Structure formats: C-alpha cells, structure tokens
Amino acid sequence: MRIPLSWLREYAPVPEDATAEDVLATLVRVGLEEEDVHRPTDSLSGPVVVGQVLTMEPETHSNGKTVNWCSVRVVPEGREQTLTGKGIDPSGVQGIICGAHNFSVGDKVVVTLPGAVLPGDFRISARKTYGHTSAGMIASVRELGIGEDHDGILVLSRLGLDPEVGSDAMELLGLYDSAAEVNVTPDRGYAFSIRGIAREYCNAVRAPFTDPVEQLAHTVPAPTQDGFPVTIADDAPIRGRAGSNRFAVRVVEGVDPSRPTPPWLASRLRLAGIRSVSLPVDISNYVMLEYGQPIHTYDADTLRGGITVRRARQGEHLTTLDGKDRALDPEDLLITDESGPIGLAGVMGGEATEVGGSTTRVLVEAARFDEVSIARTARRHKLPSEASKRYERGVDPQLAPVAAQRVVDLLVELAGGSDTGRVTDVDHTTAPASIELPAGYPAARVGVDYSPEVVVGTLAAIGAEVTETADGWTVTPPSWRPDLTDKEDLVEEVARLDGYDRIPDRLPVAPPGRGFTRSQAARRRVANTLAAAGLTEVLSYPFVSQADNDLWGSADGSHVPSIRLVNPISEAQPLLRVSVLPGLLEVLRRNHSRGFRDLALYEIGHVFLADGHTPDTQPVPPLGARPGEQDLERLDAAVPAQPRKLAAVLTGNDTVPGPWVTPRALDWQDALDVAHLAARSVGVELRVTQGQHAAFHPGRTAQLSTSDGAVIGVAGELHPKLVATQGLPERTCAVELDLSALLDHESAAVAARPISGYPAATQDVALVVAEDVPAARLLETVRRGAGELLETAEVFDVYSGTGIPEGSKSVAIALRFRAPDRTLTADEASEARQAAVAAAHREHGAELRS
C-alpha cells in the first residue's frame, strides 16, 4: 500500500516537515513492514514552470519532419526574470523547438528550463537544433514522468487549470509530494486504505483518531422505495457463505464526461500506484484508496433492468474491461442484468457497461463480497486487481453505503453531476461476535504486566467496544477487523500497540526430560557423523517425474506407484519422490556446472510411498472447525507412508592437490564407507553383498542389509549410460539407505569393548575360491570360523590371473588375534587361522593359495 503524505495528513497528525522515511519509521512501531519510498523529486528537478505560448512557426526540414519554433513567456509580463543560469533569457521569453503539434498560441504549458533534470537523467540545456538555439523544452506528461500519454504536449487548460505564468509547475502538479509504501499482511486488510493507515499512525504516536467514515455516515440517506433494483441470489454458496451480504447502489445524473481529473486527485492516484483513466473512474479509485472499499461504476444507460448477484451458469462468457473473452466457471460470482453477465464480482467489470467518454448517467456500486469466493475467481482467471486484493483480505461490511455516498459527493462536486436521490442498500450483514477477555490473560500470555487502563485503551484505539465484567472485559471487535475472533487476537493487539519493545526477551527454562527423543538423537548423530567426515548437507527439490520414481524406486526400473500433487508447480515434475537421489543428483549437477569439481553431498529427507494410499476416498473436512476424532483417524490412516531416507553422492577427488599431496579419485568404496559410517554411528553393522540396480553400474553395486537380512539400501558407482544421459560427472558414486529402517535396528546400548593390554598376533591368509563367491561372504565365514580370539579381519587384496585357476580368484585377508587375559602363542594364533580356513573350505570350497 502506497501512502501519499499529503493525503495522510488530512486524517493523521503527520508533521509538515516529516519525510516518507519518518512515516515508515512510525508505522513500523505498530507492526507494519516498510517497503519503499516513492518521491518524484528523486528523478525530477526544476526549474519547471508554467509558460504561455506567444508564437509558433511551423518549419519543415530536409529530413521531412515539421517542427515548431516557439517563443514562450515564462515570467508574467512586466516582471523581471529572477532565475539565472546558462540559457535562461533575462527577458522572460524563451525560444524553444517543439516537435509536437497538439497546442496553439495562447496555451499555457509546462516548460522545463535549462538546468532542469527529467526522469531518466535527461538534462535540459540550451542547444542548437534545426537552425535555432532551443533553450528549454515544452513537456508532455510522459516526459515529466506523470503518465504514459503519447498524444503530445500537456496543455494545462485541458486539466481545468489557468495558473499564473511563471508559477512552479511541479507544485501545481503535486510533484513535491511523496509516498511511503508498506507491506500489508493478509490479516490486516483494513490497512489497504488511507483511513486504516491513518488510524495506525495515530495509534503509533498516541494521538486521537477522527474516523472520516463515522463523520460521513451521518449524511448517508436511508434506502428509498425507488432505489435501483438489486437481488442477491447465490444458490451455490462456498462453505455455506453467500457470495455477497451487502450491496449499496446510487445513481448520479448529468455527469459531464469532458471534465478532466483535477491535478491534485490525479497526483495522489499516481503516487498510490494507480494511473488516471477518466474522472468517474478516478473518483471510484480515489475512494477505494481512501476508505478501503472497492467501487465499481457503470454507464447506467447501458444497463437492462435491475442487477442480480448470482453464480455463473455452465457455458456463460463475459468480456471484461481488459478486452478478453472469459469462459466462466459455475463457482464464479457474477454481477448480471437482464442481458446476462456484466461483471466478475469483486474482480473486474464487463466491457459492455464500461463508463466511457459519452457517459452522463453513472450507477455507483459499493458491495461486500466473500473473501474465499473472490480469491478463487481472481486466481482462476489469473486476474488480480486492486479490488480483489482488498476483498480477499476482508472489507468492512458497514462501509459500502458510506463509500457510495463519498463517490456521489465527488461526482457532484468535480463532475457536475446531480444526485438522483435513489438509494439502494441490501444489507444481510451480522454484527461481530463478542469475545470474553479475562483480566489477567494479556499479562499471562505476553509476560508484561499490563494495567487495566492499558488493555482497555489499546482495544478502544483499534475501534473495539469494551465492557467491563466481573472477570475482565467483554470486547466487541470493530466491523473492519474480521481477523479478531478470539482472546489471543486481542492480546496480540494489546502487545502490538503497547509496544513490542516492552516484551521481555528472557529465554524460557527447558523442562527436564524433554530433550530429543531417541529417534531424533539418532538422526542428529547420523547427520553430525557425515558432516564431520567432510560431506555437505543439502536440501533438494522433492518433486519428480514418473521416470525418476521408476528408475530410483525399484531395482529393475519397473513402474512404481506414485503420489501426484493436485496442483503441481511443474507438469514435468508432478509427483512426490520415492527416492532422495534424483533431487540430490540435480544439486550435484548444478554445482559441478558452476565449477565445483570435488563434491560429497548428503541429504536426509522424507520419501512418499503410494502403497495402499487412497486419497480420493477421503473427504476433506470443512475449514473453520476442528475435525472430530473419527475424521482425524480417517485422515491419519489415509496419509501415505513417509519413511526417511539418507542419500549421498560423490564425485571428484578426496582432497585438493598440493605439495606432497596426491589426490585420490572418489569411487564406489567411498560410497560404501558413507553407508558404514552412518550405520556405525547408531550401532548397526551392515552386511554388504553384490547388488543389482538399474541406475547403478552392473559390476560395482553393493546391496546393503542388516544382520537379520533386511535389505535397507544400495551403494556403488552409477551406470555409465545414466551418467552420460543426465550430464553427470564421470564415475559419479551414490548411496541410499532407508534411515527409518536403519534406526529400527539401532542397538539399545552399545557396549564398549575393553582394550587388552596384551600384544596382538597377526597372520595373513590367501584363499582361492570361485569367482562368483563374494569377498564379503567369504570374509564373514572366516570371521565366524576363527572364533573368539579373532579381533579383526580385513580383505586387503583380490587377485585373478597367472597362477590362479581359470574361473577362480585369490582373496587375501589380514587376521589379527588377541586374548584379553594373556599373550597368545604362535600355535594358538595358527590354530584359530586354521579353523577359519576350514570353515571357508566347508562353505565355499576355498583352498589355501600355494
């Protein structure tokens, strides 16, 4: 909302020397958010004066263009020129070349003299052109930055002005005014008006506020028998709320369509961000900005019969004021007459009843429409407007007849019209519900000891009626504050107006025994472990395509049932993910394209599984009331499974090169290490076996499972074809674990093994087995067969080739033995080694390599 300061000063005690920045600083104290400052003089500076054309001589030049060589008086005749500067003629008459032709001798115009600066940093100086020295410029509205009119020079008489020659044209056109812009949150629609902002300003400076609406309300006549006929016939209300509950109509005759919009009104509209159209339309916009009530004006002579407010019928169309033919939806609320739709209620009027250059009878509409209905229509037709912006946030239901009266008064005063006296006011509104506010409630909720005087005073300042009771107060919110529905809302208003700076900033003491749950602590431990290992945590886009879910959600790339968004951001990615890896790989690809070559990224996030999910069978409970227990149970049962998954992607080298440092390329073993790190941080040991996955390299893929055989993930190098088609770095590796399943296997307690003070006995063994025997399974058998004396067993070499039978391989394993109570003898270590070899022979046919 842009607030011209000259306008605000009419309703609030804003000092004359206050700047827009000062006004913003004041409004911030009551919770409004500052946005910007709009000041015409930031891009426009004088001297800019009123001039009168004395002569104009058309000259046609060799380029075929005809220009006018003009002499323009810029000082009243008989007076001296007080301005000085290069190019300013002391005689008070300037010679100026002008290419426009829409003015004549005797016209008063706006002259920018040498030294002036126009928007776009266009500096005016005396310069030679077309054989003359042109010392200034006769300006158009576009050159002054006050409009987009391309018709030519601004002739002041066409604005109804006859100022003195030499007077300050910037002051005449309101260009010294400025506007402060604030951001209005959805719950404070009343602040979309000068009236609402003035009230907030008075609250901020602790000054009384005189409501202009209350003053004008006493002059509004009662509805008359001959009022313009209006019918509200909403047979399909949304959520049981009629589309309109207040509709005021007035008729003004004898409007002079040739009258221009006064510069003061056009200036305020321009500073507020609304362009001037015509006097009746400008008046309606002016009142909307002033009071917050959207107004629509009709050419009364184009209407057929009375007005009916109803929902659209199937197949109906409407051409709106922007010239577009719109197919209407049965949910759209319409303004209609006997000819059919003539406007989208609360959004935009129809072209057929538009106020134009020949309109002399104006019908003024001021109505209140339902917030949800207007919001849906505006979004459905992609047609946001100043009116819909206000209706969506709630308009004061008592405002319509007063705003209509204000429009009538301005049409009479400025457009020469006459009030017909026909008054229509269809009123189906209800009074706001009262709220009980216990005496100690504000202090208990905020932590400030508010006195009764402060509570009553602040609530009265927002327009509420406050009645004292035995336990506190009964508060009736004002009609323009539909957001005040319970006592918490009232407490928020007390805290806001009394000052947020009074609220203490003491940190609450955490109650004992309410820290992280076991699951939360475990997830935090996994994340911290990976971060400490050098990986970077990221959050990726959770929406994917069906192809992504099929590829990553199943080992063989077959179709995976997925959950589709009702209103996806992109039709290319309309589904919820079943794997974290698609989004994570997109993050890797984007960072790699920007020059980051060594990347190790991980993410912990939810995935969404469609198994058994039937959202279409679950009706959505109505808003505005808490669902019952059965509704909540039914909704909870319909929510899809959302387990957490951990994924990581790696590419590049493990370190940056440097003196005596040789980087090592990250490979599938690093991806496997990530899985082991995560699992061991929660006390789980993973079993690794050869795996198969459509997205992974067929020979470099590990299947990850727990000790009970439950498969919980996959790790390895991505498939070369996938890497190529998706533009990923070569040899990209990845791992994904079902973190929820992993945490289900978390050890209740991890017992630390005592450290033996006795020396270890180390022996190596090389076993020849068939090529299809996984090294991990062989290692597991060796560990089991070696018995309790074995401390560690690790594979350190796998070899096939010369000396090894065809179809076989040699797996070398380093064994370390240690006893907790004695020094092992060589015989004891050898005996345990032989037991391990025997177990490998029994289960895998392993033979000692000679």
Side-chain angles (χ1 to χ4, degrees):
M1 173 68 187
R2 296 185 182 183
I3 313 132
L5 265 58
S6 64
W7 204 350
L8 182 62
R9 287 190 178 99
E10 292 185 6
Y11 303 115
V14 181
E16 286 298 324
D17 59 350
T19 65
E21 289 83 356
D22 296 332
V23 170
L24 288 174
T26 301
L27 294 174
V28 164
R29 296 207 299 266
V30 288
L32 290 169
E33 180 182 347
E34 63 178 285
E35 279 286 314
D36 203 353
V37 169
H38 303 272
R39 196 165 17 232
T41 53
D42 286 344
S43 59
L44 174 66
S45 60
V48 181
V49 300
V50 174
Q52 186 170 31
V53 181
L54 301 180
T55 64
M56 55 186 299
E57 301 173 10
E59 298 179 355
T60 302
H61 292 266
S62 58
N63 60 3
K65 184 175 182 180
T66 299
V67 298
N68 295 304
W69 168 239
C70 305
S71 59
V72 185
R73 180 175 294 282
V74 294
V75 174
E77 189 173 3
R79 296 186 193 175
E80 293 183 357
Q81 172 63 275
T82 58
L83 297 174
T84 60
K86 187 177 180 180
I88 296 180
D89 197 311
S91 69
V93 177
Q94 300 289 123
I96 299 174
I97 289 288
C98 183
H101 304 280
N102 68 318
F103 64 103
S104 57
V105 172
D107 282 342
K108 290 183 178 180
V109 294
V110 176
V111 179
T112 58
L113 295 174
V117 180
L118 301 185
D121 198 29
F122 184 73
R123 298 178 181 272
I124 304 300
S125 62
R127 59 191 181 90
K128 288 188 176 182
T129 180
Y130 292 106
H132 301 277
T133 297
S134 181
M137 185 173 74
I138 305 174
S140 68
V141 294
R142 188 179 188 191
E143 289 160 340
L144 292 170
I146 61 175
E148 294 297 325
D149 189 356
H150 298 273
D151 293 339
I153 296 306
L154 171 59
V155 179
L156 295 174
S157 62
R158 295 171 191 163
L159 298 181
L161 300 174
D162 185 21
E164 183 182 32
V165 172
S167 58
D168 189 342
M170 292 179 62
E171 182 175 0
L172 178 71
L173 298 174
L175 297 176
Y176 290 123
D177 200 0
S178 58
E181 184 176 359
V182 296
N183 180 35
V184 178
T185 53
D187 61 329
R188 298 174 72 178
Y190 68 94
F192 265 120
S193 66
I194 299 297
R195 174 201 185 198
I197 294 294
R199 184 187 298 276
E200 290 301 315
Y201 188 93
C202 291
N203 290 336
V205 299
R206 304 291 196 270
F209 173 67
T210 301
D211 192 345
V213 171
E214 291 182 1
Q215 292 179 312
L216 185 60
H218 299 298
T219 69
V220 177
T224 60
Q225 292 293 328
D226 62 346
F228 194 88
V230 172
T231 303
I232 299 176
D234 185 2
D235 57 358
I238 298 176
R239 299 178 185 169
R241 295 175 57 176
S244 177
N245 61 0
R246 193 76 184 261
F247 208 100
V249 171
R250 301 288 292 274
V251 179
V252 178
E253 295 181 341
V255 171
D256 184 353
S258 66
R259 289 203 182 184
T261 299
W264 63 267
L265 194 152
S267 171
R268 287 181 175 179
L269 289 179
R270 182 176 64 253
L271 269 176
I274 295 180
R275 68 183 182 90
S276 177
V277 178
S278 66
L279 182 54
V281 175
D282 290 349
I283 287 173
S284 67
N285 285 331
Y286 185 84
V287 174
M288 176 184 68
L289 294 172
E290 188 174 43
Y291 290 170
Q293 169 68 60
I295 303 288
H296 189 68
T297 54
Y298 302 83
D299 185 334
D301 291 329
T302 64
L303 294 172
R304 300 181 186 176
I307 282 178
T308 300
V309 183
R310 61 170 174 83
R311 299 289 170 179
R313 296 171 184 144
Q314 196 69 40
E316 282 189 309
H317 284 249
L318 170 67
T319 302
T320 46
L321 287 173
D322 57 1
K324 294 184 179 179
D325 178 72
R326 300 182 183 275
L328 302 176
D329 186 274
E331 201 178 67
D332 289 335
L333 189 69
L334 301 180
I335 309 297
T336 68
D337 65 2
E338 292 178 0
S339 67
I342 58 174
L344 277 172
V347 179
M348 185 174 283
E351 189 177 65
T353 57
E354 179 182 7
V355 171
S358 60
T359 300
T360 58
R361 295 180 65 239
V362 176
L363 184 138
V364 179
E365 167 208 299
R368 185 184 183 278
F369 300 112
D370 177 59
E371 296 90 337
V372 173
S373 182
I374 300 306
R376 290 187 178 182
T377 296
R379 284 159 178 73
R380 184 181 301 114
H381 294 281
K382 297 181 175 60
L383 195 59
S385 64
E386 290 292 329
S388 67
K389 183 164 58 178
R390 286 162 174 80
Y391 281 125
E392 289 174 16
R393 290 161 173 80
V395 171
D396 182 357
Q398 305 305 320
L399 190 55
V402 183
Q405 180 66 48
R406 175 67 165 154
V407 174
V408 169
D409 292 345
L410 289 173
L411 285 172
V412 171
E413 176 187 351
L414 303 177
S418 60
D419 183 3
T420 62
R422 301 174 63 188
V423 180
T424 302
D425 184 8
V426 179
D427 185 1
H428 298 157
T429 61
T430 56
S434 297
I435 304 169
E436 297 299 323
L437 180 63
Y441 197 73
R445 298 296 289 177
V446 180
V448 176
D449 189 15
Y450 296 116
S451 66
E453 293 76 16
V454 169
V455 174
V456 173
T458 52
L459 293 178
I462 65 172
E465 295 180 6
V466 185
T467 304
E468 188 173 357
T469 65
D471 300 324
W473 303 275
T474 297
V475 182
T476 303
S479 57
W480 57 86
R481 292 299 302 271
D483 58 305
L484 303 181
T485 58
D486 53 42
K487 56 188 177 182
E488 284 77 12
D489 296 330
L490 299 179
V491 171
E492 183 180 347
E493 290 299 293
V494 172
R496 180 175 70 89
L497 295 187
D498 188 62
Y500 291 133
D501 56 330
R502 290 199 59 208
I503 301 175
D505 55 359
R506 297 187 300 268
L507 289 174
V509 178
R514 297 188 185 178
F516 288 138
T517 64
R518 184 178 182 85
S519 176
Q520 290 170 335
R523 292 201 305 271
R524 178 66 62 90
R525 194 158 58 249
V526 170
N528 289 344
T529 298
L530 296 185
L535 283 83
T536 301
E537 185 173 14
V538 299
L539 293 176
S540 65
Y541 195 62
F543 308 132
V544 297
S545 65
Q546 184 63 58
D548 283 334
N549 274 351
D550 292 345
L551 176 64
W552 298 101
S554 62
D556 58 359
S558 58
H559 177 72
V560 174
S562 304
I563 299 171
R564 183 180 178 87
L565 297 169
V566 173
N567 186 23
I569 296 175
S570 168
E571 284 299 332
Q573 296 170 309
L575 307 178
L576 289 171
R577 66 188 179 187
V578 299
S579 168
V580 178
L581 280 174
L584 194 55
L585 286 170
E586 177 58 33
V587 174
L588 179 137
R589 177 170 45 246
R590 185 164 57 250
N591 280 274
H592 190 271
S593 69
R594 294 175 182 174
F596 297 95
R597 294 294 181 260
D598 303 327
L599 295 167
L601 312 175
Y602 78 97
E603 178 179 1
I604 295 174
H606 285 287
V607 296
F608 306 86
L609 308 182
D611 298 340
H613 179 58
T614 55
D616 294 338
T617 64
Q618 305 303 322
V620 177
L623 299 178
R626 187 181 189 278
E629 292 300 325
Q630 291 184 346
D631 291 333
L632 291 174
E633 291 175 3
R634 186 171 60 252
L635 289 170
D636 185 63
V639 172
Q642 301 174 43
R644 281 186 174 86
K645 286 196 175 183
L646 161 67
V649 291
L650 307 96
T651 188
N653 297 322
D654 64 343
T655 186
V656 296
W660 305 289
V661 176
T662 302
R664 179 185 62 82
L666 296 169
D667 59 19
W668 63 269
Q669 295 180 81
D670 294 284
L672 201 55
D673 285 344
V674 170
H676 283 304
L677 274 173
R680 287 168 184 164
S681 69
V682 291
V684 177
E685 285 293 332
L686 294 179
R687 295 179 60 185
V688 180
T689 56
Q690 183 70 40
Q692 295 291 329
H693 194 286
F696 285 80
H697 192 293
R700 299 168 188 163
T701 303
Q703 178 178 279
L704 308 175
S705 55
T706 56
S707 58
D708 60 359
V711 177
I712 64 169
V714 62
E717 181 181 316
L718 296 184
H719 200 291
K721 289 184 178 179
L722 176 69
V723 168
T725 57
Q726 295 199 4
L728 297 169
E730 292 185 5
R731 310 296 292 271
T732 297
C733 299
V735 56
E736 185 166 45
L737 290 173
D738 186 335
L739 186 60
S740 295
L742 181 67
L743 297 184
D744 288 341
H745 290 79
E746 180 190 10
S747 301
V750 178
R753 296 178 61 183
I755 299 175
S756 174
Y758 295 94
T762 59
Q763 294 194 20
D764 296 341
V765 61
L767 299 173
V768 178
V769 293
E771 278 187 346
D772 60 354
V773 176
R777 288 183 56 195
L778 178 63
L779 181 63
E780 184 180 345
T781 301
V782 167
R783 286 173 175 165
R784 188 171 59 251
E788 296 181 354
L789 294 179
L790 181 66
E791 187 174 71
T792 63
E794 302 292 342
V795 174
F796 67 89
D797 183 49
V798 177
Y799 171 76
S800 59
T802 305
I804 303 299
E806 187 175 350
S808 300
K809 62 183 177 183
S810 170
V811 180
I813 303 173
L815 306 173
R816 184 167 66 184
F817 302 96
R818 194 192 307 266
D821 56 352
R822 66 188 188 281
T823 299
L824 288 179
T825 65
D827 289 342
E828 287 177 309
S830 296
E831 184 178 345
R833 174 179 178 274
Q834 290 170 2
V837 172
H841 178 73
R842 285 194 305 273
E843 295 190 23
H844 308 293
E847 299 290 344
L848 278 173
R849 180 180 174 185
S850 56

